[in-house]
Amino acid sequence: MGKFKKIIILPILVMLVSMLFVMVGCGVKVPEKYKKQWSKSLKFDNTCYKTLSITSDELKILQLADIHFDDHNNRKEWTLDLIKSTIESSMPDLIAVTGDWVSTNEKKERDKATKTVFDLIDSYYIPWIVAFGNHDAEGELTKYDFADIFAQYKNSLFDVGFTNLKGGAGNYIVVAEKDGKPVQAVVTIDSHSAVKKWSTIYDSIGKDQIEWYKWAMKGVQDLYAKAGGKGIIPSINFQHIPINEYKDNMDNKDLYVLGENKEDSYPGKKNTGWFSALKEIGSSKGVFFGHDHANNKIIKLDVIYLGYGVESGWCEGYAEDCKKGGLLITLSNSGSVKLEQIIYDK
């Protein structure tokens, strides 16, 4: 009887495992229109990245972090004015929203908050990208619901990406082109959420995401080389949750670049080799994140800038007295980087 039970259970387990391949996160099914499978044998072509046209030898990227435009934000009008003021004072080529623009659970509130924020951002006719934060997909809207919202905007460069990667959405690359030739790249990675809701222990970037990155950057590098690019194409990375090596080196005075920290850093629970992959490829000039609102310090480790943007909203009772604004990252086509904190002081 025991052996018979095992024979019956095995096919059931196989069936359940198979079902997981079409599910992501906490049982979120991938809509058919977004299903896209990645493998190392896949050919890299123009369906694997988005493009951004630039006219100068520099790409100016404004990072907005932790907007939290919902019922946890006690200064909503100030937040909208902050976004407006920060964009207008920097006039970037690209805007990167690095997660947690919303954190409330309720569907209508999340929908309303998201559309209010991105209606404003999109009104400037500046291309923009999004990296999911740990709170964004914790409520009644999934990452695919957000993708539906982002698809309504003319200036959105958000891409769901390959849905069989860990997290299911939000791993993608934007290639900046000048005169039709690739000159830079911007990489967005999904750094996931807490291992349990409201926990301060966070999930780690997946090994499959790292392998996808290596594959994708090889494809981008091939494009760059074929267009006459010299050396390795320069790039910038965005994610929400900090990188592990930042926490390990955050107090090293020899690595200090700018800013300050007023709380600890909370990266993923396990170091899966993400920073090692960035060093191996040699393209990334900086990894910028948010998540820990009271921090805005940037360090430089092994020629790569690692650090926080500036909190771009208010959360009642959390980091209310810290700097607010955005981080302007200027990457030249030759690979040099300039960093400037855009501080909102109203």
Side-chain angles (χ1 to χ4, degrees), residues 24-26 28-31 34 101 110 130-151 158-160 163 165-171 189-193 203 209:
V24 295
C26 299
V28 178
K29 189 174 182 179
V30 182
Y34 289 128
W101 62 86
R110 294 173 79 82
V130 170
F132 284 115
N134 57 296
H135 288 305
D136 297 315
E138 284 183 338
E140 296 177 1
L141 289 180
T142 69
K143 293 175 183 178
Y144 304 108
D145 292 326
F146 285 121
D148 288 341
I149 294 173
F150 298 151
F158 173 81
D159 192 0
V160 168
T163 54
L165 297 178
K166 184 177 180 180
N171 303 292
I189 199 90
D190 178 21
S191 56
H192 313 300
S193 298
D203 204 352
Q209 291 174 284

Side-chain angles (χ1 to χ4, degrees), residues 253-259 297-300 305-306 339:
K253 295 180 180 179
D254 294 334
L255 305 179
Y256 177 82
V257 176
L258 59 81
K297 181 194 283 188
I298 296 171
I299 62 173
K300 192 174 185 181
Y305 291 95
L306 302 177
L339 302 172

Side-chain angles (χ1 to χ4, degrees), residues 2-22:
K3 290 182 179 179
F4 180 76
K5 286 182 179 179
K6 289 180 181 179
I7 293 171
I8 295 296
I9 289 171
L10 182 57
I12 294 174
L13 288 174
V14 171
M15 180 180 68
L16 290 173
V17 170
S18 298
M19 289 172 64
L20 287 174
F21 280 100
V22 296

Side-chain angles (χ1 to χ4, degrees), residues 115-129:
K115 289 177 179 177
T116 301
V117 168
F118 290 99
D119 281 353
L120 176 58
I121 291 173
D122 201 67
S123 70
Y124 284 92
Y125 298 97
I126 296 171
W128 50 268
I129 59 174

Side-chain angles (χ1 to χ4, degrees), residues 12 65-66 84 108 110 145 158 179 228 234 277 314 324 333:
I12 294 174
D66 301 289
K84 181 179 178 182
K108 287 185 179 180
R110 294 173 79 82
D145 292 326
F158 173 81
D179 300 326
W314 277 265
K324 313 292 180 186
N333 295 345

Side-chain angles (χ1 to χ4, degrees), residues 80-122:
L80 292 178
D81 191 60
L82 179 156
I83 293 171
K84 181 179 178 182
S85 174
T86 305
I87 293 174
E88 291 179 358
S89 63
S90 59
M91 291 309 295
D93 304 302
L94 179 68
I95 298 170
V97 180
T98 54
D100 282 8
W101 62 86
V102 66
S103 52
T104 188
N105 286 324
E106 202 270 327
K107 186 174 183 177
K108 287 185 179 180
E109 175 69 14
R110 294 173 79 82
D111 183 86
K112 180 181 177 182
T114 299
K115 289 177 179 177
T116 301
V117 168
F118 290 99
D119 281 353
L120 176 58
I121 291 173
D122 201 67

Side-chain angles (χ1 to χ4, degrees), residues 63-68 96-100 131-134 191 237-243 246 261 263-267 287-297 307-312 318 327:
Q63 179 192 5
L64 300 175
D66 301 289
I67 295 169
H68 284 277
V97 180
T98 54
D100 282 8
F132 284 115
N134 57 296
S191 56
N237 289 69
F238 291 104
Q239 59 191 71
H240 177 70
I241 292 175
I243 203 162
Y246 180 89
N261 288 337
E263 64 173 311
D264 202 355
S265 183
Y266 294 89
V287 184
F288 300 96
F289 33 82
H291 187 54
D292 303 313
H293 301 195
N295 293 344
N296 56 60
K297 181 194 283 188
Y308 291 92
V310 180
E311 184 185 15
S312 306
Y318 178 27
L327 177 67

Side-chain angles (χ1 to χ4, degrees), residues 153-177:
Y153 293 103
K154 292 182 179 180
N155 301 297
S156 170
L157 290 177
F158 173 81
D159 192 0
V160 168
F162 293 99
T163 54
N164 62 330
L165 297 178
K166 184 177 180 180
N171 303 292
Y172 59 102
I173 290 178
V174 175
V175 176
E177 297 180 341

